Amino acid sequence: MDQEQEAIYFKYLDILRGMFIDKYDELGLRASGDFEESLEAEVTKSSLIMYGAPHSYYMEHGRGPGPADYRKLAPFMLQWIEVKEGLPAIFYEEPKRMSFAIAHKVATQGIKVPNEHNQGEVLNSVIDDFIKTVIPKMLDELGDVFLSRLRADIVGILKNELTAA
């Protein structure tokens, strides 16, 4: 893979990153911004990779009950309350109490997605849209690069043949 191809791949991974962020914001899932900050693209010889925050899986699929000691979750819930906008006033007035209440509920019941606060599909719907609407554009752009190279190769071969004759 050459630099031109790599630049095209990174360009389209950046579009995918923007699509994830737009969907995340559209669904009202932004709290700390860790999801956005964690999105990182990588291009290898055989794949295009988009890394994300570990909690991305749970935004999409929910999670089962656990851990047994809900106090381990409470600090994470407190951090979430501190950065999440639009919560009822009681969350900001009594953040420690509310963080323990949320942690207890998560530990005993888990989080089901979809729910009234998260319809899910933040990742899958974006990937589906990316495959249907953006990948064809990327392939067109890559095809133009390959055609340009092929033309240059053919012209070079013809020039060599003509000058050798």
Side-chain angles (χ1 to χ4, degrees):
M1 168 183 359
D2 66 16
Q3 289 180 337
E4 192 173 11
Q5 285 173 280
E6 187 174 326
I8 291 169
Y9 291 139
F10 274 113
K11 171 184 168 182
Y12 284 92
L13 283 171
D14 193 51
I15 291 169
L16 177 60
R17 182 179 186 277
M19 291 170 71
F20 279 134
I21 293 166
D22 290 347
K23 187 67 167 184
Y24 164 73
D25 285 337
E26 173 190 319
L27 296 175
L29 297 175
R30 179 180 297 276
S32 66
D34 286 347
F35 173 75
E36 178 178 349
E37 294 298 319
S38 73
L39 293 172
E40 183 179 320
E42 181 181 347
V43 175
T44 71
K45 288 182 179 180
S46 60
S47 59
L48 306 179
I49 303 166
M50 180 66 69
Y51 294 103
H55 71 276
S56 301
Y57 177 87
Y58 303 112
M59 287 187 335
E60 182 83 8
H61 302 285
R63 59 164 282 167
D69 183 358
Y70 68 90
R71 291 172 293 188
K72 291 180 181 177
L73 278 178
F76 298 105
M77 298 299 105
L78 182 60
Q79 191 176 28
W80 177 77
I81 290 169
E82 290 170 353
V83 296
K84 181 71 176 168
E85 295 177 7
L87 295 172
I90 187 75
F91 283 81
Y92 306 111
E93 294 164 2
E94 299 187 47
K96 281 191 175 188
R97 189 174 126 225
M98 296 309 293
S99 68
F100 275 96
I102 296 168
H104 184 266
K105 183 170 181 172
V106 169
T108 58
Q109 297 176 20
I111 300 172
K112 307 235 183 312
V113 172
N115 61 51
E116 66 273 12
H117 304 289
N118 179 0
Q119 69 186 37
E121 295 295 317
V122 67
L123 304 176
N124 283 334
S125 66
V126 169
I127 292 168
D128 289 346
D129 188 35
F130 183 77
I131 290 169
K132 290 176 190 170
T133 63
V134 180
I135 291 287
K137 294 173 187 172
M138 181 180 78
L139 294 175
D140 284 345
E141 197 168 329
L142 288 167
D144 292 343
V145 169
F146 293 132
L147 281 175
S148 174
R149 287 189 197 138
L150 183 59
R151 280 188 199 108
D153 289 346
I154 291 171
V155 168
I157 291 169
L158 291 174
K159 282 184 181 179
N160 287 338
E161 291 296 319
L162 291 174
T163 55

